[in-house]
Amino acid sequence: MERWTKWLGWLLLVGMILNLYFIFIYAPIEKTMGAVQKIFYFHVPSAFAAFLAFFVVAVYSALFLLKRNYFYDRISYASAEIGIIFTTIVLVTGPIWAKPTWNTWWSWDPRLTTTLILWFIYVGYLVLRDFTGEDERGARFAAVFAIVGFVDVPIVYFSIRWWRTIHPEPVLMGGEDSGLHPQMLFALLFSLAVFLLFYFYLLFTRLRLEKARMEINEMKKAIALQER
Amino acid sequence: MSYLGKIFAIAYKDLLHEYRSRETITTMMIFSFLVVVIFNFTFDPGSSYALEAAPGIIWVAFTFSGMLGLNRSFIYEIDKGCFHGLLLSPIDRGAIYLGKMIGNIIFMTLVELLTLPLFIILFNLQFSDFLLPLLLIIFLATIGFAAVGTLFSAIAVNTKAREIMLPILLFPVVVPVILSAVNATGGLLRSDDWNQVFAWVRILLAFDVIFVAICYATFEYVVEE
Amino acid sequence: MIVVKNLTKSFGTHYALRGINLEIPTGTFLSIFGPNGAGKTTFIRILSTLSRPSTGEIYFDDKNLRDHAESFRQRIGVIGHSTFLYDELTAFENLQFYAKLYSLPDARKRIQQALEEVGLLARADDFVRTFSRGMQQRLSIARAMLHQPDILLLDEPFTGLDQHASSMLKHWLSELKSEKRTILLVTHDLTHGLELADQVAIFVRGKVAYFESADHVDETEFQAHYHKVVAAGGAA
């Protein structure tokens, strides 16, 4: 895995440089929004990476409860941390983009609000892990919470969407999907690929760190077991 | 004793314990009243805002006082070692969950029913035509809140920061319950179209069914050691 | 017959049990001694299905404990550090609650009988919080015996008992012993433990350092041996 991660790192470096080229030079500047629209190429891929991360958390949490393999637990933990980072990027870039285009920092639109709740749920996950320590109990609690939280997300989304359709929409949603320029679309897809690569790179790096820590723990355990 | 009998034995034990000690419900009630009174200070008396904000305030009072009750639910079992007594008994872990959940639902509902008249008086609400649907909404929202809350409370008592942990875990997850309850209550107050109110009731129902099932299934992973 | 095979339990990097192997025939009174941190309580918790082992298996009459935990729980009685009693309920209500959980038929009669055995019938309707430590422990014995378990797990039951309660518990254990129940007593009180035991074991640092039939054991000799085993850290 170590070798893999290294290659992935180089690939990512090249990808990121190319990504910057595609975003800022290759893709044309949007007519109404101007240069600020470039944030779109960071905002949307971050959201995808975050959703992927949380999906991984839920899947490996369930696997952990069934198989009790601590490797699965570490994947969930690492993925949750990374997911929080990407969600934070989404939540920070969102308002920066929204202010000049919608003339408001924040709108309680379903996607935005759901992302915020998502952020709260997984911050809760990390706090929970912090407050339970490293024992297997912490892993079990976190896994249960992650499963409940993940099932909750679609319900949160639907309830908020229903809420926003009852009240008038406060701002006009900029049609981000409507007739995207082909070069813009390419830049977006490329950026998406780079961000997903970025996710996996972070995940592998985090797991490697965790693996090293576990090996030390195993050594300590082995010593403890031999002690007489 | 049947499976159901054991579930109710646990809930009955919680009620009896509460009836004797009166620790939890009293605190919940006072807290609920306090919320109503304090929030009243944020409006000019008789302003139209008060009416618009009333559903939100009602549910802030209900959920925060419910949180207090949920926190107590496992703390008193753990402090006296009684929880081990429960776990040592020949019952399924799911039955323990359902018993504790039913106990919590009853506590919360009691407090809600006792606080409701105060709201009606202080906010000068016209609920009389909608009392039954309102009670239905309160009941359904309480089930959803207690279903997730009972599971998380069992988690929270075993962490380093018991009382602080529960709200951090619970509130984000019960957003659909709070949102639905507030809007359904508001809909009744404004005499909205019944179909709109019913849409919220549907979300509450869906939440209840899904989360009672999931929490029932995952509870055993929380209490094993 | 309880068979314990290669039982280990770890908490993080710390091992509480490091490979326990034991065979306890039905009707045996086994006393387990050991210094603090020897893993005695962890062992009892795993046997009573409260904890699950990290590795290893437990068989109870050839049935794996993992798959039959619930029916096993019906057959064990546990007396531990805490009493498992609710302060705000009366003695009778406490037992009534447990009688429901254990699905006891004719609960009222059984509860009265159990209360009488521990001499608390007169206080049946008093709140547990008004009871002294000794009385609470007696009630907790009544609670553990309510469903007449064939296996009793006792974790330091003599702690905090006054002279009267302590001799009562001892008398009571000897009676249970004659009824051919399997009893596991964990204690660091050598006198109490030796008096009743058929078998004695010493746990040191998560291992069985000594396992012997009690007939061959003389108290003063055993005491000397105990200190030697403990001092050697289980190598003897």
Side-chain angles (χ1 to χ4, degrees):
Chain A
M1 196 164 79
E2 213 150 311
R3 224 196 162 90
W4 253 75
T5 316
K6 211 167 155 188
W7 282 110
L8 201 62
W10 285 110
L11 189 63
L12 187 64
L13 184 70
V14 177
M16 279 195 165
I17 294 169
L18 280 175
N19 197 26
L20 290 179
Y21 166 78
F22 285 130
I23 291 171
F24 288 105
I25 299 167
Y26 176 73
I29 290 184
E30 218 267 350
K31 273 189 203 112
T32 43
M33 286 187 266
V36 76
Q37 183 265 347
K38 297 289 183 199
I39 230 171
F40 165 70
Y41 303 108
F42 299 93
H43 182 80
V44 175
S46 299
F48 272 89
F51 287 134
L52 174 68
F54 294 142
F55 180 70
V56 169
V57 177
V59 169
Y60 280 94
S61 291
L63 276 175
F64 168 73
L65 286 184
L66 294 176
K67 308 267 188 223
R68 295 309 161 104
N69 183 337
Y70 282 86
F71 183 60
Y72 297 153
D73 174 56
R74 281 186 296 279
I75 293 178
S76 321
Y77 195 178
S79 198
E81 283 179 351
I82 302 165
I84 287 277
I85 294 172
F86 282 118
T87 316
T88 310
I89 296 177
V90 175
L91 289 174
V92 170
T93 50
I96 297 177
W97 185 20
K99 184 65 185 166
T101 33
W102 299 341
N103 202 24
T104 172
W105 291 112
W106 185 262
S107 97
W108 292 96
D109 113 285
R111 261 172 291 186
L112 234 63
T113 315
T114 308
T115 311
L116 182 65
I117 303 296
L118 202 63
W119 187 84
F120 273 119
I121 289 176
Y122 287 91
V123 165
Y125 175 93
L126 292 187
V127 174
L128 177 61
R129 298 218 68 143
D130 246 18
F131 281 173
T132 40
E134 270 189 41
D135 58 353
E136 53 95 35
R137 183 195 269 183
R140 266 189 290 120
F141 287 178
V144 168
F145 181 69
I147 291 169
V148 173
F150 188 72
V151 174
D152 197 40
V153 173
I155 306 177
V156 170
Y157 178 75
F158 282 117
S159 63
I160 293 173
R161 202 173 69 170
W162 178 238
W163 173 48
R164 296 318 298 171
T165 47
I166 282 187
H167 296 266
E169 200 85 353
V171 289
L172 281 169
M173 287 290 298
E176 57 186 40
D177 310 308
S178 50
L180 207 59
H181 191 283
Q183 282 170 350
M184 285 182 178
L185 184 65
F186 177 80
L188 174 69
L189 291 177
F190 191 84
S191 184
L192 196 63
V194 169
F195 267 76
L196 293 185
L197 210 61
F198 190 31
Y199 163 74
F200 283 110
Y201 178 71
L202 287 176
L203 183 68
F204 290 153
T205 312
R206 184 74 183 80
L207 282 175
R208 221 178 49 179
L209 193 72
E210 201 58 32
K211 194 174 149 234
R213 220 177 42 143
M214 224 208 11
E215 276 167 7
I216 293 171
N217 275 351
E218 285 300 322
M219 284 177 207
K220 280 188 191 161
K221 247 186 191 177
I223 293 167
L225 202 58
Q226 278 166 10
E227 253 174 38
R228 299 232 154 210
Chain B
M1 185 79 31
S2 64
Y3 193 76
L4 266 180
K6 289 178 180 179
I7 293 172
F8 284 113
I10 294 171
Y12 173 74
K13 182 265 304 167
D14 273 0
L15 289 181
L16 192 62
H17 188 276
E18 181 54 34
Y19 173 70
R20 294 282 162 65
S21 66
R22 293 188 187 86
E23 281 168 359
T24 311
I25 290 200
T26 326
T27 335
M28 286 166 78
M29 287 277 300
I30 295 172
F31 190 82
S32 207
F33 284 173
L34 265 176
V35 170
V36 184
V37 173
I38 301 249
F39 268 97
N40 259 295
F41 295 148
T42 49
F43 310 107
D44 289 332
S47 87
S48 59
Y49 281 123
L51 201 66
E52 254 174 61
I57 297 169
I58 291 177
W59 284 99
V60 167
F62 286 175
T63 47
F64 277 75
S65 67
M67 186 79 64
L68 290 180
L70 287 169
N71 252 330
R72 295 293 309 162
S73 167
F74 282 98
I75 284 178
Y76 91 92
E77 301 262 14
I78 298 260
D79 283 348
K80 305 281 157 56
C82 298
F83 200 59
H84 282 158
L86 277 180
L87 293 176
L88 285 169
S89 313
I91 45 171
D92 172 44
R93 271 65 175 119
I96 300 181
Y97 166 75
L98 291 178
K100 295 300 285 183
M101 183 191 79
I102 291 172
N104 286 328
I105 290 174
I106 295 175
F107 286 172
M108 277 188 69
T109 312
L110 268 177
V111 173
E112 286 158 0
L113 292 184
L114 291 172
T115 333
L116 195 61
L118 194 77
F119 278 112
I120 293 179
I121 293 165
L122 287 181
F123 287 104
N124 196 20
L125 303 179
Q126 302 295 326
F127 263 129
S128 47
D129 301 340
F130 309 110
L131 206 56
L132 273 177
L134 181 69
L135 291 181
L136 176 74
I137 290 162
I138 289 179
F139 188 60
L140 288 178
T142 305
I143 292 178
F145 192 78
V148 182
T150 305
L151 179 76
F152 286 1
S153 164
I155 289 178
V157 283
N158 284 305
T159 63
K160 279 180 235 159
R162 296 170 158 186
E163 281 95 344
I164 317 168
M165 201 65 236
L166 184 61
I168 292 180
L169 297 180
L170 185 54
F171 275 129
V173 173
V174 295
V175 159
V177 174
I178 298 176
L179 197 58
S180 307
V182 169
N183 283 286
T185 311
L188 286 181
L189 266 179
R190 292 188 301 270
S191 318
D192 278 358
D193 183 11
W194 172 240
N195 279 332
Q196 288 196 358
V197 177
F198 191 68
W200 291 115
V201 173
R202 275 207 320 252
I203 292 181
L204 282 176
L205 260 175
F207 188 97
D208 290 357
V209 171
I210 292 171
F211 281 94
V212 169
I214 287 184
C215 298
Y216 172 83
T218 50
F219 186 72
E220 66 170 299
Y221 297 111
V222 170
V223 295
E224 82 179 30
E225 281 175 45
Chain C
M1 176 91 140
I2 301 171
V3 180
V4 179
K5 277 187 186 161
N6 263 324
L7 198 68
T8 69
K9 175 77 183 178
S10 60
F11 299 100
T13 60
H14 165 74
Y15 269 88
L17 297 177
R18 306 195 272 172
I20 301 278
N21 288 290
L22 274 180
E23 281 190 16
I24 307 161
T26 308
T28 310
F29 192 121
L30 169 68
S31 287
I32 301 174
F33 304 104
N36 292 335
K40 299 177 307 241
T41 297
T42 309
F43 180 63
I44 291 292
R45 288 169 69 94
I46 292 175
L47 267 189
S48 62
T49 74
L50 276 181
S51 301
R52 63 154 78 192
S54 302
T55 61
E57 304 293 332
I58 297 168
Y59 296 93
F60 173 66
D61 290 345
D62 294 328
K63 276 192 222 154
N64 196 324
L65 188 61
R66 258 177 229 275
D67 312 322
H68 298 87
E70 211 172 302
S71 60
F72 183 63
R73 286 201 286 267
Q74 180 80 42
R75 302 180 58 180
I76 56 170
V78 180
I79 299 173
H81 297 291
S82 37
T83 58
F84 311 154
L85 297 170
Y86 295 94
D87 274 354
E88 303 291 335
L89 268 52
T90 66
F92 188 85
E93 285 163 350
N94 264 294
L95 295 190
Q96 198 176 33
F97 172 57
Y98 282 106
K100 282 183 199 160
L101 295 187
Y102 284 91
S103 320
L104 297 187
D106 213 355
R108 178 167 284 274
K109 225 172 105 191
R110 180 71 200 106
I111 292 167
Q112 276 169 348
Q113 192 189 341
L115 282 172
E116 193 159 14
E117 278 167 18
V118 295
L120 285 174
L121 193 54
R123 309 265 329 240
D125 293 324
D126 288 348
F127 293 117
V128 168
R129 79 179 124 84
T130 65
F131 283 18
S132 68
R133 167 79 193 148
M135 286 162 75
Q136 290 199 11
Q137 189 70 346
R138 268 148 66 196
L139 186 58
S140 119
I141 293 166
R143 184 200 54 78
M145 293 305 298
L146 197 62
H147 55 294
Q148 293 170 308
D150 354 306
I151 300 165
L152 263 180
L153 307 172
L154 305 122
D155 191 2
E156 302 283 3
F158 293 100
T159 346
L161 289 193
D162 56 26
Q163 210 61 46
H164 173 64
S166 174
S167 67
M168 197 164 130
L169 176 62
K170 224 183 318 174
H171 166 76
W172 216 58
L173 285 175
S174 61
E175 224 167 68
L176 288 170
K177 187 181 155 184
S178 62
E179 288 169 22
K180 279 291 159 206
R181 287 195 161 87
T182 310
I183 301 173
L184 266 74
L185 169 68
V186 162
T187 179
H188 40 227
D189 186 328
L190 297 183
T191 325
H192 282 316
L194 278 177
E195 214 170 307
L196 299 155
D198 303 318
Q199 301 269 341
V200 289
I202 301 177
F203 277 31
V204 184
R205 309 185 71 156
K207 284 189 170 177
V208 182
Y210 178 88
F211 188 74
E212 198 62 65
S213 166
D215 307 338
H216 309 284
V217 176
D218 165 84
E219 196 187 326
T220 34
E221 242 174 66
F222 182 75
Q223 205 143 17
H225 191 71
Y226 175 78
H227 289 301
K228 210 171 76 196
V229 171
V230 172

